[in-house]
Amino acid sequence: MTAILAINALCLSFGGQKVLDDVSLSVQPGERLALLGHNGAGKSTLFKTVLGFLRPSSGTVAVAGHAPGSNAAREAVNYLPEVVSFQRNLSGREVLSYFSGLRGTPKAEVSDLLARVGLLDAADRAVGAYSKGMRQRLGLAQALIGAPRLLLLDEPTSGLDPVSRHEFYEVIADAAARGSAVLLSSHGLEEVQDKTDRIAILARGRLKAEGTLAELAQEAGLPTTIRISAKPGAADDLHGEFGGRRINGCRLDLDCAQGAKVDLLARLGQHQDRLRDIEICPPGLTDIYRHFSRMGPTEDQI
Amino acid sequence: MSTRIGTVFGQELRQARRNLWVILATAVLGLFALALALFGAGQGSDLKVDVLTLTAVSLATLSVYLIPLIALLMSYDSISGEVERGSLALTFATPVRRWEVFVGKFLAQTVAVCVAILIAFGTVGCIIGFLAEISGDGVLAWLRLMLSAGGLGAIFVGIGLMLSALTGRTARAAAAAVGVWLLLVVLYDVALLGAIMAAGEGIFATHVFPWLVIANPADAFRLYNLAMIDAAPVAGIDGLSQTLPFPPVAALAALGLWLVATIAIGSARTKRIVP
């Protein structure tokens, strides 16, 4: 299957500073790829390059096989920017009719789209009276016009409440099921967990990791933390035997590689009389994300 | 292509209507025209010229200030404002061509200005027709005024949009629009008058000066309207209208050149905007 979006060794500099550095990515039809990164990691710049607004310093971008920004590429791609404000005095229906006209799709589609994002009741009200969530949903509806082959969603759910966020991802999943390739950006792994097929982590313009969440967790190889509460007076002995970090008078944190977990617990079992409680904390999504986004070229060796 | 331009056109025209630009422009132009008409009616009988002709002359002079101002106000924010709000990024991400966006906006705002002119001047023309005796020449002068005023509005809509595309920022576009208005409508005449006083009679006055006058769209508009009226009571630079080295229609050609230039530069510049 050919990729709808193929980015190869993309570099982009602003005034001598590399904003994107050797980024390679591809998205297949029906696939959802989440692009994670901090503010300023280069996510929006990447989107603007795919749209043809910015020219790469080197490397290539192909949208459905065409140069970004070319007429054929713009036919294939639909975009929802991070910050979007529609003309306040137009109704939601008028906004969608406008974009539908620019894309040359039948006007009959507009009502269907409004229904898909749950805005049919508010369709004829002025956008200025919409809540933030409604404006964002209108933005999504706009991005779904004409069955897009590639959907670019720049932080589509930032500032949405959990319920709207969930509904948002349902609409995105529906679009992917209809064959759209989806590239969306986000701040955190928790948000895109189970909502996307693959995850790419971008930090300071470099792609740090790419794969499914399970692959990322495995690659990160982060230790599980075993948190021990000792009985009074026993903490020092346990610290002497197992090492680890003393948290306070009676608590001790032990880091443990994935494979050694059972073994360590068995050893701890022998000191049952000195233990009050054991808590097992596997690495969380935040830890995985932090691991990759912090991993610089120098930290690699550690 | 036509659908996309039509879509941009429809959207912009709706905006102009909802922002009350059309109503505001119509009211301002109508009130000024009516005031001049009543003033003209007061003295028309003394000058042996019909009120319509007299009002057309004074309205031509006033329109030079008002119409560029209205057109610039309507257009200066149109592209830069959308860049700042982020809505242009959405438009540019669609298959619409950049020049189609520029042309669509231009056409819509030109129509908005022209509708305001037609309603305002048309109504006042009819009022004069009811109140005073009018001649065929007067009606012709009035029609010429309305049409050329539409052209003047179109040029300054083009200039405003061009500045909006060139600057890409609303604050800078506003400053540029005010600057251009002052330069073309006010300072240019003052500078030309100074130059002709300094140069006196000679090659400059007969061969260079007239061309400098029609090089400015505002002056070209006024010159065209005054030169076509024999009986116009004129003074200053406008006195030139009776001693032109070229037919008055040449002034219209100058207006046409301005129109083509602003649209060409604006469209080309719109292609290079990073939204």
Side-chain angles (χ1 to χ4, degrees):
Chain A
M1 196 153 39
T2 52
I4 292 295
L5 175 64
I7 301 175
N8 192 14
L10 174 67
C11 295
L12 194 138
S13 308
F14 281 139
Q17 203 190 348
K18 278 199 168 173
V19 186
L20 292 174
D21 187 4
D22 195 25
V23 174
S24 297
L25 274 182
S26 67
V27 192
Q28 315 288 333
E31 186 183 38
R32 293 161 297 166
L33 174 66
L35 188 65
L36 297 190
H38 296 302
N39 290 326
K43 301 184 303 271
S44 293
T45 308
L46 183 70
F47 282 131
K48 287 186 174 178
T49 313
V50 173
L51 287 163
F53 295 165
L54 299 171
R55 289 188 145 285
S57 313
S58 66
T60 58
V61 177
V63 177
H66 303 282
S70 63
N71 292 337
R74 295 206 313 280
E75 304 267 355
V77 60
N78 281 23
Y79 171 54
L80 174 62
E82 186 180 350
V83 183
V84 55
S85 66
F86 300 108
Q87 306 281 5
R88 299 175 60 82
N89 54 9
L90 295 175
S91 72
R93 192 185 298 279
E94 284 167 339
V95 167
L96 287 194
S97 301
Y98 170 69
F99 288 106
S100 162
L102 293 185
R103 292 197 175 275
T105 55
K107 291 268 188 282
E109 193 194 29
V110 167
S111 288
D112 175 47
L113 282 171
L114 285 164
R116 261 168 88 186
V117 298
L119 280 178
L120 207 48
D121 293 336
D124 297 306
R125 271 193 271 150
V127 175
Y130 279 22
S131 69
K132 169 154 175 81
M134 289 164 81
R135 279 203 299 273
Q136 203 72 10
R137 276 186 279 159
L138 182 63
L140 181 62
Q142 169 276 136
L144 295 174
I145 288 173
R149 296 176 68 195
L150 173 62
L151 256 179
L152 294 179
L153 309 170
D154 196 353
E155 296 192 16
T157 58
S158 68
L160 291 187
D161 61 82
V163 176
S164 323
R165 191 171 288 185
H166 181 73
E167 288 168 356
F168 223 84
Y169 279 111
E170 278 183 355
V171 177
I172 294 172
D174 179 48
R178 296 179 190 211
S180 299
V182 181
L183 177 62
L184 65 91
S185 69
S186 174
H187 276 305
L189 260 181
E190 307 77 30
E191 194 189 313
V192 298
Q193 182 187 20
D194 306 326
K195 304 289 199 320
T196 56
D197 305 304
R198 276 190 304 136
I199 290 159
I201 296 178
L202 197 65
R204 289 180 301 262
R206 293 185 71 97
L207 204 58
K208 298 294 183 180
E210 200 216 317
T212 62
L213 189 54
E215 284 166 357
L216 291 187
Q218 197 177 8
E219 195 186 323
L222 290 176
T224 298
T225 301
I226 296 180
R227 187 161 285 176
I228 302 167
S229 297
K231 285 184 175 158
D236 285 335
D237 292 346
L238 287 169
H239 190 207
E241 171 127 16
F242 293 97
R245 297 182 301 275
R246 283 290 290 275
I247 304 300
N248 55 28
C250 60
R251 284 186 47 200
L252 187 64
D253 273 6
L254 301 176
D255 283 345
C256 165
Q258 286 294 324
K261 204 161 45 184
V262 176
D263 192 39
L264 180 67
L265 286 174
R267 278 170 62 209
L268 278 170
Q270 294 164 7
H271 298 272
Q272 197 176 358
D273 49 335
R274 301 193 211 171
L275 296 173
R276 201 168 57 194
D277 192 19
I278 294 181
E279 207 181 336
I280 299 175
C281 315
L285 296 169
T286 315
D287 300 315
I288 296 172
Y289 174 44
R290 211 181 278 155
H291 169 79
F292 284 111
S293 60
R294 273 192 187 159
M295 194 174 70
T298 48
E299 291 159 321
D300 268 347
Q301 278 91 43
I302 300 170
Chain B
M1 178 194 100
S2 55
T3 343
R4 292 191 298 254
I5 293 185
T7 303
V8 177
F9 174 85
Q11 179 91 333
E12 283 296 319
L13 201 59
R14 205 175 283 132
Q15 291 284 323
R17 220 177 57 219
R18 299 239 170 110
N19 292 336
L20 305 181
W21 266 120
V22 180
I23 292 175
L24 196 71
T26 308
V28 169
L29 289 173
L31 285 175
F32 273 105
L34 193 62
L36 289 177
L38 294 176
F39 180 71
Q43 57 178 186
S45 51
D46 308 333
L47 286 165
K48 295 176 192 157
V49 187
D50 77 320
V51 180
L52 208 50
T53 310
L54 201 63
T55 311
V57 171
S58 47
L59 198 51
T61 310
L62 185 74
S63 297
V64 167
Y65 294 90
L66 272 185
I67 289 174
L69 193 64
I70 289 170
L72 286 172
L73 280 176
M74 207 181 276
S75 57
Y76 83 93
D77 185 36
S78 188
I79 291 171
S80 53
E82 282 212 53
V83 170
E84 288 185 356
R85 280 195 302 273
S87 49
L88 204 59
L90 274 173
T91 300
F92 282 178
T94 70
V96 74
R97 315 295 188 254
R98 301 270 180 113
W99 68 267
E100 292 172 344
V101 174
F102 188 90
V103 170
K105 280 176 181 285
F106 167 78
L107 290 176
Q109 290 172 1
T110 297
V111 165
V113 173
C114 288
V115 164
I117 290 171
L118 281 178
I119 296 175
F121 290 4
T123 310
V124 172
C126 292
I127 292 174
I128 295 173
F130 279 119
L131 294 181
E133 275 189 35
I134 53 170
S135 65
D137 283 349
V139 172
L140 263 183
W142 197 259
L143 286 177
R144 269 199 308 270
L145 173 72
M146 287 208 289
L147 288 177
S148 56
L152 184 68
I155 288 170
F156 277 88
V157 163
I159 291 177
L161 281 174
M162 181 184 76
L163 293 175
S164 201
L166 282 171
T167 55
R169 288 287 171 272
T170 294
R172 271 184 257 160
V178 170
V180 162
W181 185 80
L182 275 177
L183 186 75
L184 290 183
V185 175
V186 183
L187 298 178
Y188 195 85
D189 283 9
V190 176
L192 276 193
L193 272 180
I196 193 104
M197 301 270 244
E201 303 278 316
I203 298 284
F204 178 77
T206 53
H207 287 89
V208 182
F209 183 71
W211 295 102
L212 284 178
V213 171
I214 64 163
N216 178 343
D219 283 332
F221 160 79
R222 187 166 50 192
L223 197 65
Y224 168 72
N225 277 288
L226 300 185
M228 298 297 282
I229 301 169
D230 298 331
V234 288
I237 285 187
D238 301 335
L240 177 70
S241 58
Q242 264 100 13
T243 57
L244 280 181
F246 42 73
V249 181
L252 285 188
L255 292 181
L257 280 179
W258 268 92
L259 206 53
V260 172
T262 51
I263 293 174
I265 295 172
S267 299
R269 180 59 216 181
T270 306
K271 284 202 180 96
R272 291 173 45 200
I273 291 177
V274 177

